[in-house]
Every structure is written in structure tokens, then in C-alpha cells.
Amino acid sequence: MSVVLEQLSKSYGKVSVIRSIDLDINQGEFIVFVGPSGCGKSTLLRMIAGLENITGGKLMISDEVVNDKPPSQRGIAMVFQSYALYPHLTVFENMAFSLRIAKVPKDKITKIINETAVILQLEDYLHRLPKALSGGQRQRVAIGRAIVRNPKVFLFDEPLSNLDSALRSATRIEIANLKDSLPDTTMIYVTHDQVEAMTLADRIVVLSSGDVEQVGTPLELYENPANLFVATFIGSPAMNIIDATISSANGKINVTLSDDNKFHIDNKIKIDQSEMQVKIGIRPEDMYITGDNDQSITGKVMLVETLGEYSLIYTELPGVSINEHMIVKTAGVAKLHKGDSIKLGIPVEKIHIFNSDGRVITS
């Protein structure tokens, strides 16, 4: 089923939490809501689920307005962060609970549970209580309890946040496999984990303070952020952002970071005045150490973090605020030390330029 949000809003008294959101989610899409804590992503998910009242706008599921419909009549199933399993019931009984309430015949319940257990690799745990399971297994039971209802829309509210790194990776793979096994089922997933968003999503919805900042595929958001917020939120380490002055001359855009650091890029933008104050964005993995040339900038090593397969080089630029240092991500071990002077290559085709309002000028 498709899910359509038209000017959807949510307020608590005079406090606006969700501000007039428009979003079309197609049948079979895997949509991920991301954003910082308090941005409204879980509230928005709960509005779709029917667990939060809608203040304004329309919510449509399969072309039907469901603003006032209870959760049980929306054709959705929700997987919570806290698992929400009945501790006194076995795995089988937890998964069968909603089917028994719906008076599904016993033999059919057994068939559905067994088929779902195979999908989630729970066949050997059906007669265990939740307390005898690991966190990852409990989350699979919670997902299985949702699957057996055969919903048309799955809602996931940060389902992996309680798991350790290894279990998160394993369960993420299982959710990806679940997505492939249910191609017609729409899935809406809330997370603060960028790896989950980038690897699972067909499209990502970036939220900030109740507003949608940008919607796009993972690569679209990564390669072409619409504004400073998306540029710095998507990607780890975050995009390097530095104040700069740009001016146009001889078909080129001259970029000045400081008196000691200048370079130029092809004239891809129109400058309406002799100079513009902007912010320049460059991703750490796009920077590289090079020799002296007119497209390099000079820096001094502040810190080197060696992380095995790659190193992060924190670099101070002369004449630039210490808070605007560059991070360079380089493969392997960087044989550099604090205080070393280095030249950083500027990948001009990878540069993003943002105006004073934080909107992208070019990328």
C-alpha cells in the first residue's frame, strides 16, 4: 500500500513538533526517517501508526484517509525499540497472539508461525521464553510477530538501537533479507544510525525540527546535499565546512580560505557581486595529501587517528578558525605526527558551495 502525507502536522498546545509535511511513499518502498534527537521522526512514525493524533493535514494509506482510524484498521504492524514481548509467553505464543485474537484456526496459526520462523531463523527457539533469548533473537521475534499479521505497511521504530555492534550488523542483514522477501510490503523505518539508513533505504527522509530537509536515495543525499544541514548530517566523519570568499575572474571562481590558502574552480555558478561570503564543503574521503601546486592548501597536523584500514588526519589551516579544521580520511596508516606541515589536494569537482542561508549553490 502507498502512504501519502499531505501537509501533515502535529502540535502539543503551542509547541509545533511536525510542521506541514508532504511526502509520497510508494508501495513496496523502504523509506528511512533520519535526523537528530528531537527532530520528530518517531512522532511522525507514531502518527502513521495511529498512536499519535494528527493536528492538521491528511494521512492516506492506499488512497484512503485514515486520520481518525484506529491502529487496528490501518493495515499496519509496528516493531518497537523495546521489543514489547510478553515475558510469560513462549516465542511461538508471542507470535501467535494477534492471530488467536483474530480467531485464526489453530492449524493455520501453526503453519504461519513455522513459515515465519524459517524466514527469521527462529525454528529452534519457538518454545523458549523471551528471557532465554539474546537481544537480537528477541528483536527477530518482535519482527516475526509483525510479519504473521501480513501487514501492508511495516513500521520500525529504531529496532536495533538496543543491540551491540555485532548484533546490529547481523539483524540489519536479516531486515534487508526481509525486505527482499516481501517486495510488495511498504516499510517505514526510523533510525539515528547512518549505516542502517544508507544500507537499507530506497529513499531517505532527513528531518530537522519537524521539517523535511531533503528526500532522496542514499547516494543522492550523500553526493548532492541540498543544504548545510544535510551535508553535515549525512556522512561519517561529517563533511568539512569552512568559511570562504569567492570571486569571479577569467572564467574561474577564485576561492579564498585565508591569505595563505587560495585556489580556483571552474565557473559553475553566477556571482551577482564582486565577492560573496560562502561556506565551502569537502568530504574527508575526497581530500588527499599531495605536493605543492596551485590547487593545494597548506595545513598543520593537529591529530592522527589510526583506525586500521584508514586514518583520520585532523588538520589546522593557517588563518582559519581552529573550529573549522579539516579532516582528511586516508587509506591505511598515515605516517604523520602532530605539528607536521602538509599539503592537501583540493578535489574541485567534489566541492560543495553553500550561501549565507545554508542552501547549496553548486555541488
Side-chain angles (χ1 to χ4, degrees):
M1 285 190 283
S2 62
V3 179
V4 177
L5 285 58
E6 286 188 2
Q7 298 185 339
L8 205 68
S9 65
K10 175 67 179 178
S11 299
Y12 296 102
K14 295 182 179 180
V15 179
S16 180
V17 180
I18 299 294
R19 309 168 202 262
S20 192
I21 288 180
D22 291 303
L23 180 66
D24 287 1
I25 301 173
N26 300 318
Q27 179 176 341
E29 263 197 305
F30 197 118
I31 294 289
V32 177
F33 295 162
V34 299
S37 297
C39 71
K41 55 187 183 293
S42 288
T43 300
L44 185 58
L45 192 77
R46 291 173 64 84
M47 291 167 70
I48 296 171
L51 302 177
E52 291 280 357
N53 293 328
I54 294 170
T55 303
K58 288 195 300 186
L59 170 65
M60 290 182 285
I61 298 178
S62 193
D63 299 324
E64 179 185 2
V65 177
V66 297
N67 287 39
D68 300 319
K69 276 201 168 188
S72 60
Q73 296 178 20
R74 296 191 180 194
I76 56 97
M78 190 161 180
V79 179
F80 295 91
Q81 176 181 346
S82 60
Y83 317 139
L85 301 178
Y86 297 109
H88 62 291
L89 300 182
T90 65
V91 168
F92 184 97
E93 291 166 337
N94 264 283
M95 292 170 66
F97 188 83
S98 63
L99 299 177
R100 287 174 174 164
I101 294 295
K103 302 188 183 304
V104 175
K106 286 185 177 181
D107 58 340
K108 188 173 181 180
I109 289 176
T110 300
K111 182 175 183 292
I112 293 171
I113 300 298
N114 287 338
E115 289 174 349
T116 303
V118 170
I119 293 173
L120 296 171
Q121 300 177 39
L122 290 171
E123 310 101 296
D124 297 333
Y125 306 100
L126 289 177
H127 300 293
R128 293 191 187 183
L129 293 173
K131 66 181 180 181
L133 304 176
S134 69
Q137 290 164 346
R138 292 179 196 178
Q139 193 55 275
R140 277 185 275 157
V141 175
I143 293 170
R145 188 175 53 188
I147 291 175
V148 298
R149 295 175 53 193
N150 193 29
K152 297 302 180 183
V153 181
F154 266 109
L155 306 179
F156 295 89
D157 189 8
E158 301 201 48
L160 310 186
S161 61
N162 288 335
L163 306 181
D164 62 33
S165 179
L167 281 176
R168 270 203 309 273
S169 297
T171 310
R172 188 170 65 242
I173 292 170
E174 288 166 1
I175 291 175
N177 291 336
L178 175 64
K179 168 188 169 185
D180 292 338
S181 66
L182 301 171
D184 295 327
T185 302
T186 305
M187 299 188 181
I188 306 174
Y189 191 103
V190 164
T191 184
H192 62 273
D193 187 307
Q194 290 195 34
V195 174
E196 290 175 36
M198 296 293 283
T199 56
L200 291 174
D202 293 322
R203 288 189 297 156
I204 296 174
V205 180
V206 182
L207 294 162
S208 173
S209 301
D211 292 315
V212 173
E213 296 288 342
Q214 190 173 356
V215 180
T217 67
L219 282 181
E220 284 172 350
L221 299 189
Y222 186 80
E223 295 177 347
N224 298 296
N227 55 43
L228 269 174
F229 180 85
V230 177
T232 54
F233 189 81
I234 299 294
S236 181
M239 182 182 288
N240 295 305
I241 303 293
I242 297 181
D243 288 322
T245 302
I246 59 174
S247 59
S248 179
N250 301 320
K252 300 283 186 181
I253 296 293
N254 296 318
V255 181
T256 302
L257 304 181
S258 68
D259 290 341
D260 299 315
N261 280 317
K262 304 176 183 180
F263 58 94
H264 62 264
I265 60 177
D266 292 335
N267 194 350
K268 297 189 291 182
I269 62 175
K270 182 179 179 180
I271 298 180
D272 296 327
Q273 58 234 52
S274 58
E275 290 185 345
M276 283 181 63
Q277 299 299 314
V278 298
K279 290 185 181 291
I280 297 291
I282 311 171
R283 293 210 176 271
E285 55 271 33
D286 291 331
M287 300 296 294
Y288 57 93
I289 298 172
T290 185
D292 195 5
N293 60 65
D294 62 359
Q295 288 297 85
S296 66
I297 58 177
T298 303
K300 182 185 291 185
V301 176
M302 300 165 57
L303 173 70
V304 177
E305 291 183 342
T306 301
L307 302 172
E309 64 176 304
Y310 64 89
S311 297
L312 299 178
I313 306 165
Y314 294 76
T315 308
E316 179 184 1
L317 303 181
V320 174
S321 167
I322 190 70
N323 295 322
E324 294 183 330
H325 59 264
M326 284 273 195
I327 300 176
V328 182
K329 184 176 181 180
T330 184
V333 177
K335 297 180 180 179
L336 294 167
H337 302 89
K338 182 177 181 179
D340 286 352
S341 181
I342 58 173
K343 290 285 186 177
L344 301 179
I346 299 295
V348 293
E349 72 282 0
K350 297 286 189 177
I351 285 176
H352 306 257
I353 303 177
F354 304 93
N355 64 19
S356 57
D357 295 326
R359 305 300 299 181
V360 70
I361 298 176
T362 187
S363 59

